Amino acid sequence: MSIRPKDIIYLDSNGTTSVDPAVVSEMMPYLTDFYGNPSSAYGFGSQLKEAIDTARERIAALIGCDPSEIIFTSCGTESNNAVLQSALVTDPDRQHIITSTVEHSAIIKHGETLAKRGIEVTWLPVDFTGRLDLDDLKKAIRPDTALVSLMWANNETGVLFPIEEAAEIAREKGVLFHTDAVQAVGKIPINLRNTKVNFLSLSGHKLHCPKGIGVLYVNRRTRFNSYLIGGGQENGKRAGTENVPYIVGLGKAAELARETMDYENTEVKKLRDHFENTLLDAVDGIEVNGDRELRLPNTSNVAIHGVESEALLILLDQKGICCSGGSACTTGSLHPSHVLIGMGFSAERARGSVRFSFSRFNTQDEIDRALKIIIEAIQRLRRLSPKQVQVVAR
Ligand code: PLP
């Protein structure tokens, strides 16, 4: 590997996070000396159950639920897939799913695949600030609705959906409710005990834990049909020998997230606001994508008029700045972000949008260095571009 962390300014924490050294230290013994299988009858293996239980307790404390409601999975995608699959087999007469147009691909692509197999899917729209209208949800629920699945926080814009209210609506109509909270957990306070949420997905690598570990919360009174069938691990709800080191790491990451929650919502937010306000003041023709109040404290998604984000990302990459663009490359062509398109923006605006996402590991000094480089890069591209700076119509 040639590009070392010391050479970069990492502003892509919604993509993945740096691993907290305290998480690595906690994991280390379980990658080396304590390699037993927790299902073993002998003490060398079975003692690992305690480590798993501690992790379960720490995660339950972070999201305000009972440890018995935590199921370890391999990632957020698995948790999301498991819920959709489970809900459709719970009641064969309920084969309709409601979700939104701006979900992560782990829901969107799965929903599209289910639709091809004959499952009806209702895609709720959002407005140009990325917000959901709960009246649309009320109208969409039908007697045959199996599940409502809505993300807590959007990964691209950070915009928050009113999950507690949406879950109340689903419960009143007797419909199961799932939230993809992969981006929300650890960034905003969550207390599931006060909600009507049946299922919640989270992912370790958004929480300063390594990739390859996730959680599915299943409310203890909610029926859940296993997605992975085999051994009796996770109380028979998710087969497969437990990934002990990563489970331990996620437990530690959850504990740290709880301890740093205030910092995230004050200091990280200040860094994000400083970054965004400086950028808006320094450069004309920049607009924030998404509601500026109702969003995660760490996310800034901006439309930079007259600039292609792909070109900007290349220039920033050369200077060691990591951030992500409003379009994705699929089979050789650039597709504008479905989230920004879903908010009613043009493909041109989406292609000129960039997401910067921060974490507790960012410093004021690196934000200021990044700002200087970003502002220069935008000005350079605008000088090169035949396009004039213009406010691109939605
Ligand atoms: N849901 C959201 C909102 C995400 O942002 C992501 C990852 O970016 C996922 C699901 C998928 O999580 P994982 O990468 O753990 O599969």
Side-chain angles (χ1 to χ4, degrees):
M1 271 194 258
S2 56
I3 303 177
R4 307 280 308 164
K6 66 178 171 48
D7 300 326
I8 63 160
I9 300 179
Y10 191 73
L11 306 181
D12 198 21
S13 287
N14 286 9
T16 196
T17 52
S18 58
V19 181
D20 192 314
V23 169
V24 180
S25 305
E26 194 98 354
M27 291 171 70
M28 225 38 178
Y30 301 92
L31 288 164
T32 51
D33 294 344
F34 297 99
Y35 53 80
N37 187 327
S39 301
S40 310
Y42 44 83
F44 178 63
S46 64
Q47 66 184 352
L48 299 181
K49 281 201 196 97
E50 277 173 38
I52 296 176
D53 287 346
T54 303
R56 227 184 279 286
E57 281 161 20
R58 287 169 163 178
I59 295 158
L62 178 64
I63 60 175
C65 69
D66 196 82
S68 65
E69 296 173 309
I70 298 291
I71 301 174
F72 290 106
T73 65
S74 64
C75 59
T77 300
E78 183 194 321
S79 302
N80 284 350
N81 273 246
V83 173
L84 264 62
Q85 297 289 339
S86 170
L88 290 170
V89 294
T90 295
D91 180 350
D93 292 332
R94 289 175 180 255
Q95 299 294 300
H96 170 237
I97 285 174
I98 300 172
T99 185
S100 85
T101 56
V102 295
E103 300 293 312
H104 186 267
S105 51
I107 292 287
I108 299 245
K109 292 265 169 64
H110 195 175
E112 286 169 355
T113 304
L114 291 171
K116 280 188 202 137
R117 290 188 204 143
I119 304 296
E120 277 195 76
V121 183
T122 299
W123 303 95
L124 299 178
V126 295
D127 67 13
F128 74 97
T129 65
R131 284 182 306 188
L132 188 77
D133 185 343
L134 289 177
D135 281 339
D136 289 339
L137 172 61
K138 282 182 197 152
K139 283 183 214 139
I141 295 179
R142 315 188 316 208
D144 65 339
T145 304
L147 179 76
V148 175
S149 177
L150 294 170
M151 68 201 320
W152 205 311
N154 190 276
N155 44 305
E156 294 192 24
T157 59
V159 172
L160 303 170
F161 278 168
I163 290 304
E164 284 106 332
E165 292 94 318
E168 293 272 352
I169 292 168
R171 178 67 60 87
E172 272 165 28
K173 306 236 181 176
V175 173
L176 293 172
F177 186 89
H178 166 244
T179 181
D180 172 351
V182 164
Q183 292 293 344
V185 170
K187 294 178 189 151
I188 55 167
I190 289 179
N191 186 357
L192 290 174
R193 278 195 194 92
N194 300 333
T195 74
K196 301 285 190 283
V197 170
N198 299 94
F199 307 104
L200 173 145
S201 306
L202 69 90
S203 175
H205 74 104
K206 312 291 181 178
L207 278 177
H208 303 287
C209 180
K211 295 144 201 72
I213 184 77
V215 156
L216 176 61
Y217 154 86
V218 180
N219 176 276
R220 61 185 167 287
R221 281 183 286 273
T222 301
R223 245 180 80 191
F224 175 68
N225 304 284
S226 281
Y227 181 55
L228 286 190
I229 298 162
Q233 293 91 351
E234 296 300 283
N235 215 3
K237 292 191 176 125
R238 199 270 189 182
T241 302
E242 298 89 337
N243 186 355
V244 182
Y246 283 68
I247 289 173
V248 167
L250 183 51
K252 183 66 184 173
E255 185 185 70
L256 292 168
R258 212 155 80 94
E259 286 167 12
T260 55
M261 182 71 70
D262 283 347
Y263 185 89
E264 185 84 24
N265 284 276
T266 53
E267 302 309 312
V268 176
K269 184 173 183 294
K270 266 190 222 158
L271 280 184
R272 188 275 311 270
D273 290 345
H274 166 69
F275 173 87
E276 196 171 86
N277 290 331
T278 309
L279 198 59
L280 291 175
D281 286 347
V283 192
D284 288 340
I286 297 195
E287 285 177 77
V288 176
N289 290 321
D291 192 285
R292 288 187 75 178
E293 295 306 316
L294 272 177
R295 65 177 165 159
L296 292 173
N298 80 320
T299 309
S300 175
N301 190 315
V302 291
I304 309 169
H305 303 305
V307 164
E308 289 280 336
S309 63
E310 283 304 299
L312 181 60
L313 259 48
I314 292 168
L315 286 186
L316 297 183
D317 187 26
Q318 286 166 358
K319 301 277 183 188
I321 295 184
C322 306
C323 56
S324 75
S327 49
C329 188
T330 330
T331 54
S333 57
L334 277 181
H335 285 279
S337 139
H338 71 278
V339 174
L340 299 176
I341 295 295
M343 289 162 69
F345 295 129
S346 64
E348 189 176 1
R349 176 163 171 151
R351 287 202 194 92
S353 293
V354 183
R355 178 191 69 190
F356 300 95
S357 45
F358 307 90
S359 82
R360 63 178 186 262
F361 289 97
N362 287 124
T363 63
Q364 175 83 38
D365 173 62
E366 60 178 4
I367 299 296
D368 286 333
R369 278 189 287 130
L371 275 165
K372 197 165 172 287
I373 295 166
I374 294 163
I375 291 165
E376 276 169 16
I378 294 170
Q379 285 162 347
R380 185 171 156 205
L381 284 174
R382 282 187 176 160
R383 277 198 304 275
L384 291 173
S385 163
K387 276 190 226 159
Q388 294 300 306
V389 177
Q390 56 188 336
V391 176
V392 181
R394 273 191 283 121

